[in-house]
Amino acid sequence: MKKLISFASLALIVLLMLSFKESKPITGVDILSKMHKRYAGKWFKTFTFTQKTESYKNDTLIKTARWYEAIVFPDYFRISFGEVKDGNAVIFIKDSSYNFSKGKLVRKGLRGEDLIFLLGGMYFHPFDSVLKKMEREGYDIHKAYERTWNGRKYYVLGAQNEGEKLNQLWIDKEKLFVKRFIKYNGNTKEEGLLGDHVKIGKAWSETSCSFFIDDKLIQKETYYDCVANKPLSLDLFDSYNFKK
């Protein structure tokens, strides 16, 4: 009888331990770890595409333009606004940005382009560096929860409940790519929705984006002529010899 009680007690303890393990809340660190393990070393190194850019004011289309973009992860990103020969562009190199108008440098500043990090650059850095970068960008990596939205399951990193006014990343639970971001800058809410993802090798890229300020649509983007892993010369990002 004592042995039976002992075995029963042991079984109950094991079940309780398993139950506790399964019910342990997920954190942002857990989610980022899943993403990093799946895609580090597998993400495409370069990416070029043409972008149709629609600008909106008060939910009304006011301008349409064509941009040409090139990325070498994790540190280089160039956008040419309109025809490349016109010399209107911005170049992001590591932690700096360079703005050109008609071929001349008109402004230099800090990079301020964290989307390249979120949409691929993070997989080229050690995991500890990813966590530090996320914290610097204002995401609480210790908070997260799961929810269903538009029929798909997502991890929400940076918050623990729906409606919290905190910086958030929405991660597709199955495919582990970024679907949505919400950031707060004082009283201003910035939001981006990323859609129409296509698979590139073992990775993914969005091909449409919508951006909002205080829930008002300000820009829509559509990518086409997308090419991944094409060799790109870093001369394309040379801010000192831009005219070449």
Side-chain angles (χ1 to χ4, degrees):
M1 179 62 72
K2 289 183 178 179
K3 288 184 177 180
L4 288 174
I5 293 174
S6 177
F7 286 136
S9 300
L10 181 60
L12 180 60
I13 291 171
V14 170
L15 286 172
L16 288 172
M17 290 176 66
L18 289 173
S19 175
F20 176 76
K21 183 177 180 180
E22 290 175 357
S23 62
K24 181 182 177 183
I26 193 167
T27 68
V29 176
D30 298 329
I31 297 167
L32 291 169
S33 178
K34 288 175 182 285
M35 297 169 70
H36 203 264
K37 286 178 180 178
R38 180 174 298 186
Y39 294 122
K42 301 172 184 176
W43 206 263
F44 42 92
K45 177 66 175 176
T46 70
F47 194 49
T48 59
F49 57 96
T50 304
Q51 176 178 301
K52 177 183 177 183
T53 307
E54 299 176 327
S55 301
Y56 288 79
K57 185 176 181 180
N58 296 324
D59 295 323
T60 300
L61 177 65
I62 59 173
K63 183 181 179 181
T64 300
R66 181 180 297 173
W67 297 356
Y68 299 90
E69 310 195 21
I71 302 168
V72 176
F73 290 111
D75 294 322
Y76 299 89
F77 178 32
R78 172 175 172 150
I79 306 174
S80 291
F81 306 109
E83 297 302 320
V84 176
K85 62 181 177 60
D86 294 338
N88 302 312
V90 60
I91 297 175
F92 300 95
I93 306 174
K94 296 184 178 179
D95 60 352
S96 299
S97 62
Y98 304 83
N99 290 76
F100 294 86
S101 177
K102 297 180 180 179
K104 294 183 179 181
L105 179 66
V106 294
R107 185 168 65 254
K108 177 182 176 181
L110 296 178
R111 177 167 179 159
E113 179 49 72
D114 61 331
L115 267 182
I116 296 303
F117 179 81
L118 295 175
L119 303 180
M122 62 183 287
Y123 304 115
F124 295 84
H125 291 282
F127 185 60
D128 287 348
S129 297
V130 172
L131 296 181
K132 291 176 183 177
K133 170 72 171 175
M134 294 296 292
E135 288 185 311
R136 288 197 301 272
E137 292 296 332
Y139 296 98
D140 189 334
I141 61 174
H142 302 290
K143 291 184 176 181
Y145 71 100
E146 298 181 34
R147 64 165 296 170
T148 299
W149 184 58
N150 290 341
R152 289 195 64 83
K153 294 181 179 180
Y154 292 92
Y155 294 120
V156 180
L157 182 157
Q160 288 181 315
N161 297 288
E162 183 179 354
E164 285 188 305
K165 291 186 177 181
L166 299 171
N167 292 349
Q168 303 170 28
L169 283 182
W170 290 45
I171 313 297
D172 186 281
K173 187 174 180 179
E174 176 192 354
K175 297 173 181 176
L176 295 179
F177 54 61
V178 177
K179 172 64 178 179
R180 183 186 191 189
F181 71 84
I182 299 173
K183 295 197 77 172
Y184 291 91
N185 184 8
N187 294 323
T188 301
K189 175 187 175 184
E190 301 176 18
E191 180 179 357
L193 296 178
L194 316 175
D196 299 313
H197 287 77
V198 295
K199 195 164 188 180
I200 300 175
K202 295 182 179 180
W204 297 86
S205 175
E206 71 290 345
T207 59
S208 68
C209 306
S210 297
F211 299 98
F212 304 81
I213 297 293
D214 293 332
D215 300 319
K216 291 287 187 179
L217 177 65
I218 61 166
Q219 186 164 295
K220 279 186 178 181
E221 302 175 355
T222 304
Y223 305 170
Y224 55 99
D225 297 336
C226 301
V227 179
N229 286 326
K230 175 183 178 180
L232 292 178
S233 171
L234 293 185
D235 290 344
L236 185 65
F237 309 91
D238 188 345
S239 61
Y240 295 99
N241 295 291
F242 179 79
K243 289 185 178 180
K244 293 184 180 180

